[in-house]
Amino acid sequence: MFQAKLMQWLGFGHHIQNLRWFSVLLEGTPGPDFVPGVKARDETFAGVPVRVYEASGGEGGLKRGLLYFHGGGWALGSAKIGAYEKDCRILSKELNAVVVSVEYRLYPEVQFPVPYQDCFAAAKHFLSAEVLSRLSVDPERVAVSGDSAGGNLAAAVSQEISQDSSVKVKFRVQALIYPALQALDFNTPSYIQNSRGPVLPLSALAKFWMQYLGVDLSLLDQVLANHHSSQQQSLLTPELRARFDWTRLLSAKHRQNYKPVVADKGLDGILEKIPALLDVRAFPLLADAEVLSKCPKAYIMTCEFDVLRDDGLMYARRLEDAGVQVTSVHHEAGFHGCFSMAALFEVGKRAQKHYINWLLDNL
């Protein structure tokens, strides 16, 4: 991070763009033989770049389809390099699936709602009868998935597709890996417990959210203190607050002895400062029960040592309350990002294996 900011100070682009450059150098790109039998090619779905992975052989006939949105705080990551390239090749092989990884646009080039719009457009295109037929994908076995910020996009797109009458083919399942689902309470138990986590500390998460939503970073301390969702914010009705009320949605095990932080002082002109404050496309956890009830069967993975743990657990509870079948998998030794570090950590290997097995059984 220091080197990236130094380069920005020296006039070499935005520090986020510099971070991307460093990540390419560190992660590299796997060669075509990284997973034998999997071919990758670049296409454009409704104007959005995607990379399509197809495994040869297998059981023949129509294949599973998996639409994947990578993580990276809506600012980092790519469908075409590093860990996500490796993961998608593995998933294509293990699931005998056509995996479509979406190269949605990122901050600082764009902000919300553009990444969401890219993902939704790619999803509608993928689910069209013509494209599914061309790719030999079974329309009854299509999933949407993503991790972290990508999990946010997968949840939001899944909600929208489930309600869109113009989309005849629906996702059979959604598989969310430590998703980011709300930014109204930065003092949930997991946010406090893991505020200094090694991969995604709370301050970094808050900055990613603020950059994505176009919020002035000078408000960081006020946002971390929940001033944006204070008692003075009449827009947040009791009904809306109940949708992210961790004191009700989390089990006693995860509530522990933490107390909710509700600020008395609010931010003046809140919708001018945070226009997307109540937009469910940004915060899928805020969707009402009727919307959630139409969503597909869900797999939600959470990790104990992750600021986003409680987002996933709360969403699992809300989906279950709405009548959706949910498999909630919690890795006690897991941490944010472990899914893409299966080659380095045993917990990542277990997480990836469990995810794959669930999709084999449910897709």
Side-chain angles (χ1 to χ4, degrees), residues 189-190 193 246-247 249-258 302-304 309-310 313 329-333:
S190 67
Q193 174 187 325
W246 61 262
T247 67
L249 296 170
L250 295 181
S251 67
K253 172 186 174 183
H254 290 111
R255 290 196 307 269
Q256 299 183 46
N257 295 318
Y258 292 101
T302 55
C303 293
E304 184 64 20
R309 180 196 70 198
D310 295 344
L313 293 175
V329 179
H330 185 66
H331 294 282
E332 292 290 347

Side-chain angles (χ1 to χ4, degrees), residues 263-343:
D264 293 328
K265 182 179 180 182
L267 287 174
D268 295 331
I270 186 65
L271 287 183
E272 294 178 5
K273 293 180 172 68
I274 311 178
L277 182 69
L278 303 180
D279 197 323
V280 296
R281 298 174 303 169
F283 309 131
L285 187 60
L286 289 186
D288 64 39
E290 183 179 355
V291 169
L292 296 181
S293 70
K294 297 176 182 177
C295 288
K297 181 190 301 185
Y299 176 96
I300 300 178
M301 187 190 114
T302 55
C303 293
E304 184 64 20
F305 302 105
D306 183 5
V307 287
L308 294 176
R309 180 196 70 198
D310 295 344
D311 283 26
L313 293 175
M314 287 192 287
Y315 197 53
R317 169 69 183 277
R318 290 210 61 221
L319 285 170
E320 288 174 341
D321 289 349
V324 176
Q325 185 178 339
V326 178
T327 298
S328 182
V329 179
H330 185 66
H331 294 282
E332 292 290 347
F335 56 90
H336 193 82
C338 68
F339 183 88
S340 294
M341 302 181 192

